[in-house]
Amino acid sequence: ARMEAKSRHRVVKVAVAQMTSSSDAEANFKVVESFCKESQSEGVQLLCLPECFAFLGLGAQESIVFSQKLDGPLMSRYCTLAKTYALYISFGGFQENKTDKKVCNAHVIVSPEGTIVDVYRKIHLFDVDVPNGMKFKESSFTQPGDKVIMSETPVGKLGVTVCYDLRFPELYGVLRRMGAEILLIPAAFTLKTGIAHWSVLLRARAIETQCFVLAAAQVGKHNAQRYRNETTKPPRESYGDACIIDPWGTVIARATVGKPGLVIAKLDLGLLSSIRTSMPTASHRRPDVYYAANSDKGRARDGAAQKATL
């Protein structure tokens, strides 16, 4: 009973980063190191970095050329930061080299010993044509992952995802059923989709799973000088709004609008038990009905198709 009481009152101090990465990998590394220093000085246990923290170039080909293996020199340097500053670090989206033409968008969890403890490779790829907005085809240079990752760490049970995954609630439901307490959703959301959907989707994922959400984010215009000098296109711009959300859906900490920096908060993991007990939605799920309805629709479609061919 004493152990259960202790687990209900675990408090974890976390930091979520908002940054404006560029094609200058060394400059990005220095920014991350400054976040590590600040996190250590604030007593943070878990630091979360956004998607593309190490590199954000002008296009797909630059990402492929930049990409490295996870045991390569750059990720090894980043792992050393975790050890030097005694932090768990969520590296929220690294261009992992897979082939000459493809990368994986890898979310890497590293321990305070500098060891990679889990790797999630993004399964939902961002292939979109936003009305009056950007066109993007992540699948043209990215190989999707095929595993759901829930990382059990001393700072909490972490549901590990990346950016566009946010739009697929089934994934987060699975993570909750795997035992997740904290959902990690690092991103480089576009300005247009961010304004419309970022905050409401994050809060929805927190509410429906009754988990904390840590959403590190890219912000602002990336490589503005290079775009001016080398292209006729406007620079890529990310929405930002890095934030921390509790299991009730309340935003408990939020980054300064438009500026890089850290958002720091304490998570009382005891709140999970309180909310999940008072509103036990997980036990109210009816998968028997959901899946039966899906099967009925499938049979109806098959029957209609069969009649059409007669």
Side-chain angles (χ1 to χ4, degrees):
R2 281 198 299 272
M3 286 187 66
E4 287 180 1
K6 184 178 179 181
S7 69
R8 285 198 298 270
H9 293 285
R10 285 182 297 146
V11 176
V12 179
K13 196 167 189 180
V14 300
V16 170
Q18 181 161 280
M19 63 187 294
T20 309
S21 295
S22 71
S23 56
D24 186 337
E26 190 59 33
N28 297 332
F29 184 86
K30 289 177 180 176
V31 170
V32 171
E33 184 169 26
S34 73
F35 289 155
C36 290
K37 288 179 180 176
E38 183 178 349
S39 295
Q40 185 188 54
S41 69
E42 293 287 342
V44 163
Q45 296 155 273
L46 170 65
L47 167 62
C48 300
L49 300 170
E51 185 181 28
C52 302
F53 66 92
F55 181 86
L56 207 161
L58 267 60
Q61 188 57 36
E62 289 192 3
S63 291
I64 294 168
V65 171
F66 165 80
S67 67
Q68 293 187 16
K69 301 292 185 183
L70 296 185
D71 60 357
L74 186 55
M75 182 49 72
S76 295
R77 287 180 71 198
Y78 277 111
C79 288
T80 298
L81 288 181
K83 184 175 182 179
T84 300
Y85 295 99
L87 296 166
Y88 268 93
I89 302 182
S90 151
F91 291 101
F94 181 79
Q95 294 89 341
E96 178 191 11
N97 179 261
K98 296 304 281 187
T99 71
D100 290 342
K101 296 181 180 179
K102 296 273 186 173
V103 303
C104 274
N105 193 336
H107 185 164
V108 184
I109 306 297
V110 177
S111 74
E113 290 73 42
T115 303
I116 293 176
V117 295
D118 273 305
V119 179
Y120 165 74
R121 295 172 175 91
K122 187 180 182 187
I123 61 175
H124 300 106
L125 301 185
F126 188 57
D127 289 1
V128 299
D129 185 351
V130 179
N132 301 315
M134 70 174 295
K135 295 180 181 180
F136 196 82
K137 192 168 185 178
E138 189 175 18
S139 64
S140 69
F141 65 98
T142 304
Q143 181 176 308
D146 58 5
K147 290 185 176 64
V148 177
I149 299 294
M150 199 281 289
S151 185
E152 293 201 41
T153 74
V155 296
K157 296 177 181 179
L158 311 176
V160 190
T161 71
V162 179
C163 197
Y164 188 55
D165 287 333
L166 176 59
R167 295 182 181 274
F168 300 89
E170 299 93 336
L171 171 60
Y172 296 92
V174 169
L175 286 166
R176 163 68 199 272
R177 292 189 287 281
M178 290 172 73
E181 299 169 319
I182 301 169
L183 303 176
L184 307 181
I185 312 178
F189 247 60
T190 69
L191 185 62
K192 188 179 184 71
T193 58
I195 290 169
H197 301 149
W198 172 250
S199 182
V200 69
L201 285 173
L202 289 173
R203 294 188 63 225
R205 297 298 85 87
I207 293 165
E208 68 199 6
T209 62
Q210 299 174 316
C211 289
F212 286 96
V213 166
L214 307 184
Q218 292 286 346
V219 69
K221 295 179 180 178
H222 307 276
N223 302 299
Q225 190 65 43
R226 285 194 63 198
Y227 271 95
R228 279 195 295 271
N229 294 341
E230 301 174 33
T231 79
T232 57
K233 300 177 181 177
R236 174 173 173 174
E237 188 170 3
S238 295
Y239 178 62
D241 194 27
C243 59
I244 299 170
I245 302 172
D246 74 13
W248 194 247
T250 302
V251 178
I252 58 175
R254 179 167 256 150
T256 303
V257 176
K259 293 184 179 180
L262 283 185
V263 186
I264 298 174
K266 289 181 179 179
L267 310 185
D268 180 359
L269 298 184
L271 187 61
L272 293 166
S273 177
S274 173
I275 289 175
R276 292 175 180 185
T277 300
S278 62
M279 191 176 288
T281 54
S283 65
H284 296 160
R285 292 180 64 252
R286 291 294 308 276
D288 57 324
V289 177
Y290 312 151
Y291 301 143
N294 195 45
S295 296
D296 290 345
K297 281 185 179 179
R299 283 195 292 271
R301 276 198 306 272
D302 292 343
Q306 190 173 19
K307 286 180 182 177
T309 59
L310 295 176

